[in-house]
mmCIF file of all heavy atoms in Angstrom:
data_model
loop_
_atom_site.group_PDB
_atom_site.id
_atom_site.type_symbol
_atom_site.label_atom_id
_atom_site.label_comp_id
_atom_site.label_asym_id
_atom_site.label_seq_id
_atom_site.Cartn_x
_atom_site.Cartn_y
_atom_site.Cartn_z
ATOM 1 N N ASN A 180 -6.744 -4.955 -30.714
ATOM 2 C CA ASN A 180 -6.122 -5.647 -31.841
ATOM 3 C C ASN A 180 -5.132 -4.713 -32.520
ATOM 4 O O ASN A 180 -5.012 -3.537 -32.159
ATOM 5 C CB ASN A 180 -7.181 -6.164 -32.825
ATOM 6 C CG ASN A 180 -8.089 -5.050 -33.336
ATOM 7 O OD1 ASN A 180 -7.599 -4.006 -33.764
ATOM 8 N ND2 ASN A 180 -9.399 -5.268 -33.285
ATOM 9 N N LYS A 181 -4.430 -5.239 -33.494
ATOM 10 C CA LYS A 181 -3.365 -4.473 -34.147
ATOM 11 C C LYS A 181 -3.904 -3.213 -34.802
ATOM 12 O O LYS A 181 -3.293 -2.141 -34.726
ATOM 13 C CB LYS A 181 -2.656 -5.359 -35.171
ATOM 14 C CG LYS A 181 -1.446 -4.688 -35.819
ATOM 15 C CD LYS A 181 -0.702 -5.657 -36.719
ATOM 16 C CE LYS A 181 0.499 -4.970 -37.363
ATOM 17 N NZ LYS A 181 1.266 -5.917 -38.214
ATOM 18 N N LYS A 182 -5.066 -3.313 -35.476
ATOM 19 C CA LYS A 182 -5.626 -2.138 -36.159
ATOM 20 C C LYS A 182 -5.983 -1.032 -35.170
ATOM 21 O O LYS A 182 -5.676 0.151 -35.389
ATOM 22 C CB LYS A 182 -6.862 -2.527 -36.981
ATOM 23 C CG LYS A 182 -7.444 -1.350 -37.769
ATOM 24 C CD LYS A 182 -8.658 -1.744 -38.575
ATOM 25 C CE LYS A 182 -9.120 -0.578 -39.444
ATOM 26 N NZ LYS A 182 -9.294 0.681 -38.720
ATOM 27 N N LEU A 183 -6.635 -1.406 -34.068
ATOM 28 C CA LEU A 183 -7.002 -0.402 -33.063
ATOM 29 C C LEU A 183 -5.759 0.297 -32.514
ATOM 30 O O LEU A 183 -5.752 1.516 -32.318
ATOM 31 C CB LEU A 183 -7.771 -1.058 -31.914
ATOM 32 C CG LEU A 183 -9.233 -1.436 -32.180
ATOM 33 C CD1 LEU A 183 -9.773 -2.278 -31.034
ATOM 34 C CD2 LEU A 183 -10.094 -0.196 -32.370
ATOM 35 N N LEU A 184 -4.715 -0.468 -32.286
ATOM 36 C CA LEU A 184 -3.490 0.118 -31.743
ATOM 37 C C LEU A 184 -2.776 0.980 -32.783
ATOM 38 O O LEU A 184 -2.232 2.042 -32.463
ATOM 39 C CB LEU A 184 -2.560 -0.975 -31.229
ATOM 40 C CG LEU A 184 -3.037 -1.712 -29.977
ATOM 41 C CD1 LEU A 184 -2.085 -2.855 -29.631
ATOM 42 C CD2 LEU A 184 -3.158 -0.768 -28.781
ATOM 43 N N ASN A 185 -2.762 0.536 -34.022
ATOM 44 C CA ASN A 185 -2.144 1.344 -35.073
ATOM 45 C C ASN A 185 -2.812 2.713 -35.196
ATOM 46 O O ASN A 185 -2.156 3.726 -35.426
ATOM 47 C CB ASN A 185 -2.232 0.620 -36.419
ATOM 48 C CG ASN A 185 -1.067 -0.318 -36.656
ATOM 49 O OD1 ASN A 185 0.054 -0.027 -36.257
ATOM 50 N ND2 ASN A 185 -1.319 -1.454 -37.295
ATOM 51 N N ASP A 186 -4.141 2.734 -35.021
ATOM 52 C CA ASP A 186 -4.908 3.981 -35.175
ATOM 53 C C ASP A 186 -4.964 4.804 -33.893
ATOM 54 O O ASP A 186 -5.474 5.933 -33.906
ATOM 55 C CB ASP A 186 -6.338 3.661 -35.629
ATOM 56 C CG ASP A 186 -6.380 3.100 -37.038
ATOM 57 O OD1 ASP A 186 -5.414 3.339 -37.788
ATOM 58 O OD2 ASP A 186 -7.364 2.415 -37.387
ATOM 59 N N TYR A 187 -4.476 4.245 -32.790
ATOM 60 C CA TYR A 187 -4.579 4.941 -31.507
ATOM 61 C C TYR A 187 -3.689 6.187 -31.492
ATOM 62 O O TYR A 187 -2.509 6.138 -31.868
ATOM 63 C CB TYR A 187 -4.184 4.004 -30.364
ATOM 64 C CG TYR A 187 -4.443 4.589 -29.000
ATOM 65 C CD1 TYR A 187 -5.736 4.696 -28.509
ATOM 66 C CD2 TYR A 187 -3.398 5.071 -28.215
ATOM 67 C CE1 TYR A 187 -5.989 5.241 -27.262
ATOM 68 C CE2 TYR A 187 -3.635 5.617 -26.972
ATOM 69 C CZ TYR A 187 -4.944 5.714 -26.498
ATOM 70 O OH TYR A 187 -5.183 6.273 -25.272
ATOM 71 N N ALA A 188 -4.257 7.323 -31.080
ATOM 72 C CA ALA A 188 -3.529 8.598 -31.088
ATOM 73 C C ALA A 188 -2.723 8.763 -29.805
ATOM 74 O O ALA A 188 -3.251 8.585 -28.702
ATOM 75 C CB ALA A 188 -4.495 9.752 -31.253
ATOM 76 N N VAL A 189 -1.441 9.089 -29.965
ATOM 77 C CA VAL A 189 -0.583 9.397 -28.819
ATOM 78 C C VAL A 189 -0.037 10.814 -28.982
ATOM 79 O O VAL A 189 0.157 11.297 -30.099
ATOM 80 C CB VAL A 189 0.591 8.392 -28.701
ATOM 81 C CG1 VAL A 189 0.092 7.039 -28.276
ATOM 82 C CG2 VAL A 189 1.380 8.300 -29.999
ATOM 83 N N ASN A 190 0.167 11.482 -27.860
ATOM 84 C CA ASN A 190 0.704 12.842 -27.855
ATOM 85 C C ASN A 190 2.182 12.794 -27.515
ATOM 86 O O ASN A 190 2.566 12.235 -26.479
ATOM 87 C CB ASN A 190 -0.051 13.699 -26.834
ATOM 88 C CG ASN A 190 -1.505 13.862 -27.210
ATOM 89 O OD1 ASN A 190 -1.833 14.535 -28.183
ATOM 90 N ND2 ASN A 190 -2.399 13.221 -26.458
ATOM 91 N N LEU A 191 2.992 13.382 -28.356
ATOM 92 C CA LEU A 191 4.443 13.278 -28.213
ATOM 93 C C LEU A 191 5.087 14.651 -28.038
ATOM 94 O O LEU A 191 4.791 15.590 -28.797
ATOM 95 C CB LEU A 191 5.048 12.604 -29.445
ATOM 96 C CG LEU A 191 4.541 11.192 -29.765
ATOM 97 C CD1 LEU A 191 5.183 10.691 -31.047
ATOM 98 C CD2 LEU A 191 4.818 10.236 -28.623
ATOM 99 N N SER A 192 5.964 14.736 -27.072
ATOM 100 C CA SER A 192 6.802 15.923 -26.901
ATOM 101 C C SER A 192 8.125 15.683 -27.635
ATOM 102 O O SER A 192 8.297 14.656 -28.293
ATOM 103 C CB SER A 192 7.066 16.160 -25.413
ATOM 104 O OG SER A 192 7.774 15.054 -24.877
ATOM 105 N N SER A 193 9.062 16.591 -27.482
ATOM 106 C CA SER A 193 10.391 16.354 -28.046
ATOM 107 C C SER A 193 10.998 15.129 -27.369
ATOM 108 O O SER A 193 10.651 14.790 -26.232
ATOM 109 C CB SER A 193 11.285 17.578 -27.828
ATOM 110 O OG SER A 193 11.561 17.724 -26.432
#
Side-chain angles (χ1 to χ4, degrees):
N180 56 49
K181 185 174 180 178
K182 183 180 185 309
L183 284 171
L184 291 175
N185 273 324
D186 292 338
Y187 188 73
V189 290
N190 296 290
L191 301 177
S192 62
S193 68

